[in-house]
Amino acid sequence: MTNNDIFKKLRVALMLRDDQIVEILELVDFRITKSELGAFFRDEKHENYMECGDQVLRNFLNALVIHLRGTKENPKNPNDVLAKHKAQIPAKEGAKERPEFKAKPRDEEKSRGDQSPSKSSSAAKKPSKKQYPKGNAKVQVVEKVKYNFGKAKK
């Protein structure tokens, strides 16, 4: 896995935008522009693609630790920081807030908690085993075969 792959996965997992990554890198006094950063995330075949060096990845990881955990003097809760990132993601225009989906039970009578299901229901009966007539026994697909595994007969 290359440094670019690691950088891309971190960016997606943490839901970071380019400007947030630039701010995070400034925590360790590492300055990079958005266009330089965008070159890391391009396709390898693109003319402006650039390989992410070890120094960039190392500084990003060190800055990410400071960003998520805070400093010794000013500690942070990483879950709060991640929730803040998630809240900053703009909602898509076509996306609607839909209520939580709750499946309805198939059998309304069974789902009632105050009464037991009726015994007359067809679902209450256990399915019976399929019976084969005595004259028409189930046919075996493979009959008894003896393999000698290539050994010569004596």
Side-chain angles (χ1 to χ4, degrees):
M1 185 178 274
T2 65
N3 288 349
N4 286 45
D5 294 335
I6 295 169
F7 208 12
K8 287 177 187 177
K9 288 182 188 266
L10 283 170
R11 177 185 182 204
V12 170
L14 297 171
M15 297 176 275
L16 295 173
R17 296 187 318 262
D18 287 348
D19 57 336
Q20 291 173 321
I21 293 174
V22 170
E23 290 174 12
I24 289 170
L25 282 167
E26 287 178 359
L27 293 173
V28 290
D29 296 328
F30 189 83
R31 292 182 184 26
I32 192 169
T33 63
K34 282 187 189 179
S35 57
E36 289 175 318
L37 191 62
F40 300 142
F41 301 118
R42 294 185 190 276
D43 187 35
E44 292 178 12
K45 298 171 187 165
H46 195 277
E47 63 183 48
N48 294 337
Y49 171 78
M50 201 167 80
E51 187 70 32
C52 176
D54 293 340
Q55 182 182 11
V56 175
L57 187 60
R58 183 185 69 241
N59 281 308
F60 176 69
L61 292 174
N62 288 334
L64 192 61
V65 169
I66 293 170
H67 177 71
L68 292 175
R69 295 184 191 165
T71 59
K72 211 174 197 181
E73 298 82 28
N74 188 15
K76 297 179 186 175
N77 184 355
N79 291 331
D80 295 340
V81 176
L82 293 174
K84 182 179 159 188
H85 286 300
K86 194 171 186 178
Q88 289 178 349
I89 296 174
K92 293 181 182 177
E93 293 176 14
K96 297 178 186 175
E97 290 292 324
R98 72 177 197 164
E100 188 66 27
F101 175 75
K102 293 185 180 178
K104 293 181 181 178
R106 290 185 182 183
D107 189 359
E108 294 291 332
E109 189 175 306
K110 275 186 159 183
S111 66
R112 292 186 58 178
D114 59 344
Q115 296 177 357
S116 62
S118 65
K119 303 283 184 188
S120 63
S121 164
S122 63
K125 297 179 185 176
K126 291 184 180 178
S128 61
K129 280 190 167 183
K130 194 170 184 180
Q131 298 292 330
Y132 291 102
K134 290 184 179 181
N136 186 13
K138 191 172 180 180
V139 179
Q140 288 184 335
V141 177
V142 179
E143 296 184 17
K144 294 181 182 179
V145 179
K146 186 176 179 184
Y147 294 99
N148 62 4
F149 298 107
K151 295 179 184 176
K153 293 181 181 178
K154 293 182 180 178

